[in-house]
Amino acid sequence: MIKTRLRDFLITRDDWIFAVSDYFHPHGIRSTLRYVPDDSGERELAGKRYKKYDFDVAFDFMRMNRPEWVEDVHVVPEENIKEVLSPSSAIARLYGLDKRVTEIVDILEREGINREMMGITGSLLPGLQNEGSDIDFVVYGEKWFVARDAITKAKSEPGPIEDIDMDMWKNIYNKRIPEISFDEFVLHEKRKGNRGMVDGTYFDLLFVRSWEQIKDPAPRGIDTGTMRTEAKVTNADFAFDSPSIYKVEHDEIDHVLSYTHTYAGQALEGETIEVQGVVEQIGEIKRLVVGTSREPKGEWIRSLTLLEKEGYI
Protein backbone atom coordinates (compact mmCIF):
# COMPACT_ATOMS: atom_id res chain seq x y z
CA MET A 1 0.00 0.00 0.00
CA ILE A 2 1.43 3.39 -1.01
CA LYS A 3 1.60 5.87 1.85
CA THR A 4 0.90 9.48 0.84
CA ARG A 5 -0.61 12.60 2.33
CA LEU A 6 -1.78 16.03 1.27
CA ARG A 7 0.64 18.01 -0.97
CA ASP A 8 2.79 15.02 -1.94
CA PHE A 9 3.20 14.60 -5.70
CA LEU A 10 3.01 11.37 -7.64
CA ILE A 11 4.22 10.34 -11.09
CA THR A 12 2.35 7.74 -13.13
CA ARG A 13 3.75 5.26 -15.59
CA ASP A 14 2.70 7.72 -18.34
CA ASP A 15 4.82 10.41 -16.62
CA TRP A 16 1.71 12.36 -15.70
CA ILE A 17 2.33 14.33 -12.50
CA PHE A 18 -0.42 14.71 -9.89
CA ALA A 19 -0.65 16.69 -6.65
CA VAL A 20 -2.12 14.61 -3.82
CA SER A 21 -5.23 16.39 -2.55
CA ASP A 22 -6.35 14.32 0.44
CA TYR A 23 -5.10 12.32 3.41
CA PHE A 24 -7.46 9.41 2.77
CA HIS A 25 -7.43 7.10 -0.25
CA PRO A 26 -10.02 4.34 0.00
CA HIS A 27 -9.56 3.15 -3.61
CA GLY A 28 -6.63 4.88 -5.27
CA ILE A 29 -4.76 8.11 -4.54
CA ARG A 30 -7.04 11.14 -4.49
CA SER A 31 -5.20 13.87 -6.36
CA THR A 32 -5.31 16.52 -9.09
CA LEU A 33 -3.47 16.38 -12.40
CA ARG A 34 -0.87 19.14 -12.69
CA TYR A 35 1.65 18.35 -15.47
CA VAL A 36 1.56 16.23 -18.63
CA PRO A 37 4.40 15.52 -21.11
CA ASP A 38 3.90 17.72 -24.18
CA ASP A 39 6.47 18.59 -26.88
CA SER A 40 5.03 22.13 -26.96
CA GLY A 41 5.09 22.49 -23.18
CA GLU A 42 6.67 25.54 -21.59
CA ARG A 43 8.49 23.59 -18.82
CA GLU A 44 11.25 21.00 -18.94
CA LEU A 45 12.41 18.14 -16.71
CA ALA A 46 15.19 15.67 -17.53
CA GLY A 47 15.08 16.54 -21.22
CA LYS A 48 11.29 16.14 -21.48
CA ARG A 49 8.91 19.05 -21.96
CA TYR A 50 5.74 19.35 -19.87
CA LYS A 51 2.58 21.42 -19.96
CA LYS A 52 0.99 22.66 -16.77
CA TYR A 53 -2.78 22.15 -16.58
CA ASP A 54 -5.08 24.41 -14.60
CA PHE A 55 -7.96 22.84 -12.70
CA ASP A 56 -10.65 22.90 -15.40
CA VAL A 57 -8.29 21.93 -18.22
CA ALA A 58 -6.97 19.04 -16.14
CA PHE A 59 -10.50 17.68 -15.68
CA ASP A 60 -11.20 17.98 -19.40
CA PHE A 61 -8.00 16.07 -20.15
CA MET A 62 -8.82 13.36 -17.64
CA ARG A 63 -12.40 12.94 -18.84
CA MET A 64 -11.04 12.38 -22.33
CA ASN A 65 -8.07 10.14 -21.45
CA ARG A 66 -8.90 8.44 -18.13
CA PRO A 67 -12.61 8.94 -17.42
CA GLU A 68 -12.56 6.02 -14.99
CA TRP A 69 -10.18 8.04 -12.77
CA VAL A 70 -12.49 11.06 -12.52
CA GLU A 71 -14.62 11.66 -9.42
CA ASP A 72 -14.82 14.91 -7.45
CA VAL A 73 -11.02 14.73 -7.79
CA HIS A 74 -8.76 12.41 -9.81
CA VAL A 75 -8.29 8.97 -8.28
CA VAL A 76 -5.09 7.31 -9.50
CA PRO A 77 -4.91 3.52 -9.05
CA GLU A 78 -1.82 2.51 -7.08
CA GLU A 79 -0.68 0.10 -9.79
CA ASN A 80 -0.31 3.07 -12.17
CA ILE A 81 2.01 5.00 -9.85
CA LYS A 82 5.72 4.95 -10.67
CA GLU A 83 7.02 7.33 -7.99
CA VAL A 84 5.84 9.41 -5.02
CA LEU A 85 7.56 12.74 -4.36
CA SER A 86 7.59 13.91 -0.76
CA PRO A 87 7.89 17.67 -0.10
CA SER A 88 10.61 16.89 2.45
CA SER A 89 12.79 15.48 -0.33
CA ALA A 90 12.78 18.89 -2.02
CA ILE A 91 14.36 20.49 1.06
CA ALA A 92 17.33 18.13 0.82
CA ARG A 93 17.65 18.81 -2.92
CA LEU A 94 17.23 22.60 -2.86
CA TYR A 95 18.93 23.62 0.38
CA GLY A 96 22.21 25.35 -0.46
CA LEU A 97 21.29 25.56 -4.15
CA ASP A 98 18.23 27.82 -4.00
CA LYS A 99 19.08 30.90 -1.93
CA ARG A 100 15.43 31.66 -1.15
CA VAL A 101 14.67 28.17 0.15
CA THR A 102 17.90 28.18 2.15
CA GLU A 103 16.96 31.46 3.84
CA ILE A 104 13.51 30.21 4.89
CA VAL A 105 14.95 26.92 6.18
CA ASP A 106 17.63 28.74 8.21
CA ILE A 107 15.01 30.97 9.85
CA LEU A 108 12.86 28.00 10.83
CA GLU A 109 15.78 25.92 12.06
CA ARG A 110 16.74 28.72 14.43
CA GLU A 111 13.29 28.23 16.00
CA GLY A 112 13.93 24.53 16.56
CA ILE A 113 12.08 23.12 13.53
CA ASN A 114 13.88 20.14 12.02
CA ARG A 115 14.14 19.84 8.25
CA GLU A 116 12.17 16.60 8.43
CA MET A 117 9.17 18.74 9.43
CA MET A 118 9.56 21.03 6.39
CA GLY A 119 8.89 20.58 2.70
CA ILE A 120 8.45 22.23 -0.68
CA THR A 121 5.45 21.43 -2.85
CA GLY A 122 4.12 23.00 -6.07
CA SER A 123 6.25 23.23 -9.21
CA LEU A 124 9.55 23.14 -7.28
CA LEU A 125 8.83 19.64 -5.96
CA PRO A 126 9.16 17.82 -9.32
CA GLY A 127 11.62 20.44 -10.64
CA LEU A 128 9.22 22.05 -13.10
CA GLN A 129 9.42 25.63 -11.84
CA ASN A 130 9.99 28.66 -14.05
CA GLU A 131 11.19 32.18 -13.29
CA GLY A 132 7.74 33.27 -12.13
CA SER A 133 7.08 30.31 -9.83
CA ASP A 134 6.07 30.93 -6.23
CA ILE A 135 7.47 28.92 -3.32
CA ASP A 136 4.90 26.65 -1.68
CA PHE A 137 6.60 25.90 1.63
CA VAL A 138 5.16 23.11 3.79
CA VAL A 139 5.49 22.66 7.55
CA TYR A 140 3.99 19.58 9.20
CA GLY A 141 1.76 19.42 12.25
CA GLU A 142 1.96 21.72 15.26
CA LYS A 143 5.36 23.02 14.12
CA TRP A 144 3.47 24.99 11.47
CA PHE A 145 2.36 27.51 14.09
CA VAL A 146 5.94 27.93 15.30
CA ALA A 147 7.01 28.48 11.70
CA ARG A 148 4.25 31.02 11.09
CA ASP A 149 5.35 33.03 14.14
CA ALA A 150 8.97 32.86 13.01
CA ILE A 151 8.05 34.20 9.56
CA THR A 152 5.96 36.97 11.12
CA LYS A 153 8.91 37.98 13.28
CA ALA A 154 11.31 37.88 10.31
CA LYS A 155 9.07 40.22 8.31
CA SER A 156 9.39 42.85 11.04
CA GLU A 157 13.19 42.76 10.97
CA PRO A 158 15.81 43.66 8.33
CA GLY A 159 16.50 40.63 6.15
CA PRO A 160 15.37 38.62 3.13
CA ILE A 161 11.79 38.04 4.39
CA GLU A 162 9.43 40.91 3.65
CA ASP A 163 5.72 41.56 3.86
CA ILE A 164 3.50 41.58 0.79
CA ASP A 165 2.84 44.94 -0.85
CA MET A 166 -0.61 46.14 -1.88
CA ASP A 167 -0.10 45.34 -5.57
CA MET A 168 0.58 41.70 -4.71
CA TRP A 169 -2.47 41.61 -2.41
CA LYS A 170 -4.56 42.84 -5.34
CA ASN A 171 -3.15 40.09 -7.56
CA ILE A 172 -3.98 37.45 -4.96
CA TYR A 173 -7.48 38.85 -4.46
CA ASN A 174 -8.20 38.95 -8.20
CA LYS A 175 -6.94 35.39 -8.59
CA ARG A 176 -9.12 34.03 -5.80
CA ILE A 177 -12.25 36.12 -6.56
CA PRO A 178 -13.65 35.84 -3.01
CA GLU A 179 -17.15 36.84 -1.94
CA ILE A 180 -15.85 39.44 0.50
CA SER A 181 -14.52 42.94 -0.19
CA PHE A 182 -10.86 43.58 -0.92
CA ASP A 183 -10.40 45.47 2.35
CA GLU A 184 -11.92 42.65 4.39
CA PHE A 185 -9.85 40.09 2.47
CA VAL A 186 -6.56 41.88 3.23
CA LEU A 187 -7.53 42.39 6.88
CA HIS A 188 -8.08 38.66 7.37
CA GLU A 189 -5.04 37.65 5.31
CA LYS A 190 -2.55 39.91 7.06
CA ARG A 191 -3.56 38.47 10.41
CA LYS A 192 -2.92 34.92 9.20
CA GLY A 193 0.77 35.68 8.76
CA ASN A 194 1.47 32.78 6.42
CA ARG A 195 2.34 34.70 3.27
CA GLY A 196 5.41 36.76 2.46
CA MET A 197 8.17 37.62 0.02
CA VAL A 198 11.68 36.15 0.09
CA ASP A 199 14.24 37.95 -2.08
CA GLY A 200 11.37 39.24 -4.22
CA THR A 201 9.59 35.87 -4.61
CA TYR A 202 6.14 35.28 -3.18
CA PHE A 203 5.86 32.32 -0.80
CA ASP A 204 3.07 30.65 1.12
CA LEU A 205 3.47 28.69 4.36
CA LEU A 206 1.21 25.64 4.00
CA PHE A 207 -0.06 23.38 6.79
CA VAL A 208 -0.01 19.61 6.41
CA ARG A 209 -0.94 17.21 9.20
CA SER A 210 1.77 15.17 10.88
CA TRP A 211 1.24 11.42 10.53
CA GLU A 212 0.00 11.30 14.15
CA GLN A 213 -2.75 13.83 13.37
CA ILE A 214 -4.25 11.80 10.52
CA LYS A 215 -7.32 10.02 11.86
CA ASP A 216 -10.30 8.27 10.27
CA PRO A 217 -12.05 10.40 7.65
CA ALA A 218 -15.54 11.78 8.16
CA PRO A 219 -18.06 10.09 5.86
CA ARG A 220 -19.62 12.02 2.99
CA GLY A 221 -23.03 13.44 3.82
CA ILE A 222 -26.11 14.54 1.92
CA ASP A 223 -26.53 18.16 0.80
CA THR A 224 -29.76 19.53 2.22
CA GLY A 225 -29.70 23.19 1.16
CA THR A 226 -27.86 26.40 1.92
CA MET A 227 -27.56 28.43 5.10
CA ARG A 228 -26.28 31.82 6.19
CA THR A 229 -25.67 32.02 9.92
CA GLU A 230 -23.42 33.15 12.74
CA ALA A 231 -21.58 30.82 15.09
CA LYS A 232 -18.85 30.86 17.72
CA VAL A 233 -15.64 28.98 16.88
CA THR A 234 -14.75 26.58 19.70
CA ASN A 235 -11.78 24.87 18.05
CA ALA A 236 -9.56 26.02 15.16
CA ASP A 237 -6.67 23.52 15.41
CA PHE A 238 -7.12 22.55 11.75
CA ALA A 239 -8.18 25.95 10.43
CA PHE A 240 -5.16 26.02 8.10
CA ASP A 241 -5.63 22.45 6.86
CA SER A 242 -7.28 21.47 3.58
CA PRO A 243 -10.17 21.38 4.07
CA SER A 244 -10.11 23.95 6.85
CA ILE A 245 -12.09 22.78 9.88
CA TYR A 246 -13.80 25.01 12.43
CA LYS A 247 -15.64 23.38 15.33
CA VAL A 248 -18.50 25.72 16.23
CA GLU A 249 -21.12 26.37 18.88
CA HIS A 250 -24.44 26.49 17.05
CA ASP A 251 -27.98 25.15 17.45
CA GLU A 252 -27.77 23.07 14.25
CA ILE A 253 -24.25 23.06 12.83
CA ASP A 254 -21.49 20.95 14.39
CA HIS A 255 -18.60 22.36 12.36
CA VAL A 256 -17.73 24.44 9.31
CA LEU A 257 -15.52 23.16 6.50
CA SER A 258 -13.80 25.26 3.85
CA TYR A 259 -12.50 23.59 0.70
CA THR A 260 -11.10 26.85 -0.66
CA HIS A 261 -7.74 28.13 0.60
CA THR A 262 -9.20 31.64 0.72
CA TYR A 263 -10.91 30.92 4.05
CA ALA A 264 -8.15 28.84 5.66
CA GLY A 265 -7.24 30.38 9.00
CA GLN A 266 -10.06 32.88 8.64
CA ALA A 267 -11.03 32.85 12.32
CA LEU A 268 -9.53 32.07 15.72
CA GLU A 269 -10.91 30.01 18.57
CA GLY A 270 -13.42 32.05 20.55
CA GLU A 271 -14.36 34.33 17.64
CA THR A 272 -17.81 34.71 16.12
CA ILE A 273 -18.01 34.07 12.40
CA GLU A 274 -20.56 34.77 9.71
CA VAL A 275 -20.67 31.92 7.24
CA GLN A 276 -22.72 31.07 4.21
CA GLY A 277 -22.43 27.68 2.55
CA VAL A 278 -24.06 24.33 1.82
CA VAL A 279 -25.56 22.30 4.68
CA GLU A 280 -24.43 18.67 4.69
CA GLN A 281 -26.21 16.06 6.80
CA ILE A 282 -24.15 13.16 8.16
CA GLY A 283 -26.33 10.97 10.36
CA GLU A 284 -27.39 13.18 13.24
CA ILE A 285 -24.72 15.78 12.53
CA LYS A 286 -24.89 18.78 10.21
CA ARG A 287 -21.88 20.62 8.88
CA LEU A 288 -21.73 23.79 6.82
CA VAL A 289 -19.47 23.55 3.76
CA VAL A 290 -17.81 26.51 2.02
CA GLY A 291 -16.03 26.08 -1.30
CA THR A 292 -18.34 23.64 -3.03
CA SER A 293 -17.05 24.79 -6.43
CA ARG A 294 -13.69 25.97 -7.80
CA GLU A 295 -14.69 29.65 -7.50
CA PRO A 296 -17.52 29.49 -4.96
CA LYS A 297 -20.21 32.10 -5.39
CA GLY A 298 -22.43 33.02 -2.46
CA GLU A 299 -20.16 31.19 0.00
CA TRP A 300 -17.84 32.80 2.53
CA ILE A 301 -16.47 32.99 6.07
CA ARG A 302 -15.96 36.31 7.86
CA SER A 303 -14.68 36.84 11.38
CA LEU A 304 -17.19 39.25 12.84
CA THR A 305 -14.99 39.55 15.91
CA LEU A 306 -12.05 40.76 13.81
CA LEU A 307 -14.20 43.09 11.70
CA GLU A 308 -15.76 44.65 14.78
CA LYS A 309 -12.39 45.06 16.48
CA GLU A 310 -10.97 46.88 13.45
CA GLY A 311 -14.03 49.11 13.01
CA TYR A 312 -15.39 47.53 9.83
CA ILE A 313 -18.80 46.83 11.35
Side-chain angles (χ1 to χ4, degrees):
M1 181 176 180
I2 296 176
K3 191 176 182 180
T4 64
R5 56 182 161 177
L6 183 71
R7 306 197 191 285
D8 289 354
F9 272 40
L10 57 88
I11 304 175
T12 69
R13 300 188 186 282
D14 295 312
D15 287 329
W16 298 353
I17 301 176
F18 292 75
V20 177
S21 58
D22 204 340
Y23 297 104
F24 308 105
H25 313 287
H27 58 284
I29 308 300
R30 292 172 56 80
S31 53
T32 302
L33 179 66
R34 298 298 301 275
Y35 302 96
V36 171
D38 189 318
D39 290 340
S40 64
E42 67 283 356
R43 308 196 184 200
E44 185 176 344
L45 176 64
K48 181 179 289 189
R49 302 201 72 82
Y50 284 80
K51 183 175 284 292
K52 181 179 180 180
Y53 282 176
D54 291 332
F55 188 84
D56 292 334
V57 177
F59 267 82
D60 290 342
F61 178 89
M62 291 296 292
R63 290 188 188 101
M64 181 176 295
N65 292 278
R66 289 287 191 281
E68 67 276 17
W69 293 8
V70 178
E71 295 182 5
D72 57 324
V73 292
H74 307 144
V75 182
V76 182
E78 290 194 10
E79 61 268 22
N80 288 84
I81 296 171
K82 180 171 67 174
E83 185 178 2
V84 174
L85 305 178
S86 166
S88 294
S89 68
I91 297 291
R93 174 168 51 85
L94 294 171
Y95 184 84
L97 295 177
D98 188 309
K99 182 171 179 284
R100 305 161 304 173
V101 171
T102 303
E103 288 167 336
I104 297 174
V105 171
D106 286 347
I107 288 170
L108 301 190
E109 281 194 317
R110 286 197 291 269
E111 298 298 322
I113 303 174
N114 297 327
R115 293 187 196 179
E116 292 76 17
M117 299 303 291
M118 308 179 198
I120 304 286
T121 189
S123 59
L124 273 78
L125 178 51
L128 284 166
Q129 70 272 18
N130 59 24
E131 291 183 359
S133 294
D134 302 330
I135 297 175
D136 298 311
F137 202 98
V138 170
V139 178
Y140 295 96
E142 294 179 356
K143 290 294 185 181
W144 184 91
F145 297 94
V146 178
R148 188 266 309 273
D149 292 344
I151 293 300
T152 299
K153 179 182 177 184
K155 286 189 287 190
S156 69
E157 301 172 344
I161 308 296
E162 298 179 329
D163 211 342
I164 294 173
D165 62 26
M166 200 53 65
D167 287 340
M168 178 60 78
W169 281 125
K170 289 177 181 176
N171 289 337
I172 297 170
Y173 180 81
N174 291 332
K175 181 179 180 180
R176 296 200 171 273
I177 321 175
E179 289 286 275
I180 58 177
S181 72
F182 175 72
D183 288 344
E184 286 191 13
F185 173 79
V186 173
L187 179 66
H188 284 84
E189 290 296 317
K190 283 189 172 183
R191 183 176 70 162
K192 296 174 189 179
N194 63 324
R195 303 177 191 267
M197 306 292 291
V198 55
D199 293 331
T201 298
Y202 169 77
F203 73 93
D204 204 350
L205 199 64
L206 300 171
F207 175 94
V208 174
R209 295 189 191 195
S210 63
W211 291 114
E212 295 77 17
Q213 291 175 321
I214 300 174
K215 308 298 182 182
D216 293 335
R220 182 73 170 87
I222 300 172
D223 295 346
T224 61
T226 61
M227 176 187 288
R228 177 177 179 178
T229 191
E230 296 180 11
K232 182 179 180 180
V233 176
T234 58
N235 184 287
D237 289 350
F238 294 111
F240 285 93
D241 199 5
S242 181
S244 309
I245 303 173
Y246 303 89
K247 179 75 174 176
V248 297
E249 184 180 286
H250 189 273
D251 290 341
E252 296 182 59
I253 302 300
D254 181 75
H255 57 282
V256 174
L257 294 183
S258 174
Y259 283 91
T260 171
H261 191 56
T262 301
Y263 303 113
Q266 196 77 345
L268 306 177
E269 183 177 324
E271 292 188 343
T272 298
I273 57 174
E274 177 189 80
V275 54
Q276 178 159 312
V278 175
V279 179
E280 191 176 62
Q281 183 88 41
I282 306 172
E284 300 298 318
I285 294 175
K286 289 182 181 179
R287 60 188 188 187
L288 194 52
V289 181
V290 175
T292 56
S293 62
R294 180 65 174 171
E295 295 175 359
K297 298 297 182 184
E299 299 176 10
W300 67 80
I301 301 172
R302 306 161 74 218
S303 170
L304 298 181
T305 303
L306 175 63
L307 294 173
E308 183 175 7
K309 177 183 176 183
E310 299 297 329
Y312 281 70
I313 56 176

